[in-house]
Amino acid sequence: MRKMSAAAARRTALAAQGFGRRKPAAPTRRTVLDVLGRTQLLQLDSVSAVVRAHYAPVFSRIGGYDRSLLDEAAWSNGVRRPRKLVEYWAHEAALIPVEDWPLMRWRMAKYDHGRWEGMRLAVERNPTLGRDILDVITEVGAATAGEVERHLELDKPRPKGSWWNLSDTKMICEQLFAKGSLSVDKRVGFARHYDLVERVIPPEVLARDVSEDEAIRELTLRAATALGVATEADLRDYYRTHRTQTTPAIAELVDAGELEQVEVAGWDKPAYLRVGAATPRRIEGAALLCPFDPLIFFRARTERLFDFHYRIEIYTPEPKRVHGYYVFPFLLDGELVGRVDLRAERATGRLLVPGAFAEPGYRTPETVAALTEALREMADWLELDKVVIGDRGDLAPLL
């Protein structure tokens, strides 16, 4: 079995994710989609403390770009510029290539009654509401759950104790989305506008029939492509599959010559190298990584790759937070060298930096210079005039 050093594994992982490449002078739609060709997906999240989660990984890899390029690829469809991305439950809610939609049918079958118990109960309470929702959307086109409610003239109380306080209509729209009857045509103000799946997904993609075994094998291969070198747990987490699915898929991919089992120094589990994955001699460049970046969203892998213990503290009471509310790890020349609590204050045109913290050994002029430039670049991208440094963390006074 081939052996890899931990440093080589880290460089392989970074290269697979698109780091260490020259940033384009003028990013285009193709440049944005090339990022998806490497990451395979972009996680969606409602937190907008700085910028929505799906925009940030593209910025981390190619620098400042027009966010409408990503919006257009995901939420508009034209003859000359067809939709390239679609929403579904991949690694949590995510944008994935339209062509990958059939690879999720096994999950849609699993979610026939919704993703969680509240959806199943909503269906039981309203056995005909799903059909009514589909009838409304068939007639009026893409609509939010609120718009559907108004068409149905519903004014029902919302279930008590629901964390999101979702209406039954919203829950059943989500259940129909999870089972693959509805998709998302567009978002306005981040609200989903649901439409019939056959009006979102091209007919040739809808017609593709993929067995569960084939789908899991393809998803595992995509995960391996995005990760470069990975354990079974890493591959499983990327699309949130199950060990009983990924274990045979990995064996088949090894037999097919798509994956090679390797031993990575310091890793306590076998690793699998994507055949053909590059291992550069160096990874250069700086990037601020949002908490949902595919490089770091599996925290156990982040710790194994970078010796970097990272937890999101949004739901931690403020007095108990260690680093801050919405903290971006800072990547510099292939290492995670610090972390920065960030907030975009759009009304005043300021990028706030309440706290900035160096990792051990990286409280250096080089870190400060690179982070200063990265913060200015992010502020410019977000069209914010000022970067305002707070007083928390050992990097703050140096910044």
Side-chain angles (χ1 to χ4, degrees):
M1 189 184 303
R2 180 143 62 108
K3 296 185 178 182
M4 292 184 76
S5 68
R10 185 166 54 250
R11 294 195 304 274
T12 303
L14 286 161
Q17 283 279 310
F19 291 100
R21 298 162 62 87
R22 184 187 298 274
K23 293 181 179 179
T28 63
R29 175 182 167 102
R30 177 175 292 182
T31 316
V32 170
L33 292 174
D34 281 348
V35 174
L36 267 293
R38 294 179 179 277
T39 66
Q40 308 294 318
L41 55 81
L42 293 172
Q43 186 172 343
L44 295 161
D45 190 82
S46 61
V47 176
S48 58
V50 180
V51 66
R52 299 284 185 190
H54 56 289
Y55 295 121
V58 180
F59 168 74
S60 297
R61 288 154 178 79
I62 66 172
Y65 72 102
D66 184 346
R67 296 194 292 282
S68 70
L69 294 171
L70 183 55
D71 292 341
E72 182 188 58
W75 295 303
S76 70
N77 190 42
V79 175
R80 297 184 62 185
R81 294 168 79 85
R83 186 190 314 273
K84 291 295 186 181
L85 306 173
V86 68
E87 293 187 36
Y88 194 63
W89 294 102
H91 180 94
E92 300 299 325
L95 293 173
I96 60 173
V98 169
E99 290 76 13
D100 286 359
W101 192 90
L103 303 181
M104 299 297 177
R105 277 209 184 94
W106 61 275
R107 180 165 283 161
M108 295 170 191
K110 177 182 174 183
Y111 289 160
D112 188 55
H113 298 290
R115 296 179 55 248
W116 46 285
E117 181 70 3
M119 290 183 187
R120 184 185 66 79
L121 294 175
V123 172
E124 290 179 357
R125 284 194 299 269
N126 308 274
T128 64
L129 183 53
R131 183 67 262 169
D132 293 340
I133 289 170
L134 291 172
D135 287 345
V136 166
I137 291 175
T138 299
E139 181 179 351
V140 307
T144 66
E147 290 168 343
V148 171
E149 282 187 332
R150 288 192 287 275
H151 278 282
L152 293 173
E153 298 181 347
L154 293 176
D155 188 20
K156 295 186 176 181
R158 301 183 179 215
K160 293 182 179 179
S162 172
W163 189 52
W164 290 288
N165 197 25
L166 299 177
S167 69
D168 280 2
T169 305
K170 174 64 175 176
M171 281 198 282
I172 294 178
C173 283
E174 283 295 300
Q175 177 254 335
L176 292 169
F177 169 69
K179 71 178 287 186
S181 297
L182 293 178
S183 188
V184 179
D185 175 64
K186 61 184 176 182
R187 282 185 182 255
V188 179
F190 208 62
R192 280 174 170 160
H193 286 243
Y194 304 95
D195 205 349
L196 303 179
V197 69
E198 57 267 29
R199 297 202 293 227
V200 176
I201 305 296
E204 65 275 13
V205 176
L206 275 178
R208 185 181 168 205
D209 186 24
V210 183
S211 69
E212 180 174 342
D213 287 348
E214 181 185 351
I216 297 299
R217 190 165 55 250
E218 287 294 323
L219 291 173
T220 304
L221 186 60
R222 280 158 173 69
T225 301
L227 295 172
V229 60
T231 66
E232 183 275 332
D234 298 337
L235 296 170
R236 176 176 12 119
D237 177 79
Y238 212 76
Y239 288 97
R240 296 292 168 85
T241 50
H242 192 272
R243 185 191 304 272
T244 57
Q245 297 172 307
T246 51
T247 299
I250 289 169
E252 291 175 11
L253 290 167
V254 170
D255 288 344
E258 301 281 6
L259 298 181
E260 177 189 356
Q261 187 172 344
V262 296
E263 181 181 325
V264 177
W267 292 19
D268 61 358
K269 296 288 191 299
Y272 300 92
L273 176 68
R274 177 67 167 102
V275 171
T279 305
R281 291 185 178 181
R282 289 179 55 82
I283 294 285
E284 296 182 339
L288 288 160
L289 307 175
C290 91
F292 304 104
D293 192 291
L295 179 67
I296 58 170
F297 59 31
F298 186 34
R299 310 305 188 206
R301 175 177 170 85
T302 302
E303 194 156 355
R304 192 183 334 112
L305 274 175
F306 297 101
D307 191 24
F308 187 90
H309 180 80
Y310 179 56
R311 296 292 183 272
I312 192 166
E313 297 181 274
I314 290 174
Y315 305 113
T316 302
E318 186 171 359
K320 295 184 178 180
R321 290 179 191 147
V322 177
H323 296 106
Y325 176 78
Y326 203 63
V327 173
F328 281 56
F330 182 49
L331 177 72
L332 180 61
D333 295 339
E335 301 280 359
L336 293 180
V337 301
R339 52 191 97 202
V340 192
D341 189 19
L342 294 177
R343 212 85 74 249
E345 196 176 74
R346 294 168 181 83
T348 61
R350 302 189 303 170
L351 180 64
L352 305 181
V353 188
F357 307 81
E359 289 299 287
Y362 288 104
R363 189 178 182 272
T364 65
E366 291 78 13
T367 298
V368 173
L371 181 53
T372 299
E373 184 176 345
L375 290 168
R376 184 67 259 170
E377 183 184 16
M378 174 173 277
D380 290 344
W381 175 55
L382 298 177
E383 300 180 303
L384 302 172
D385 297 324
K386 296 181 180 180
V387 179
V388 181
I389 309 298
D391 57 6
R392 297 183 62 244
D394 56 353
L395 284 180
L398 301 180
L399 288 169

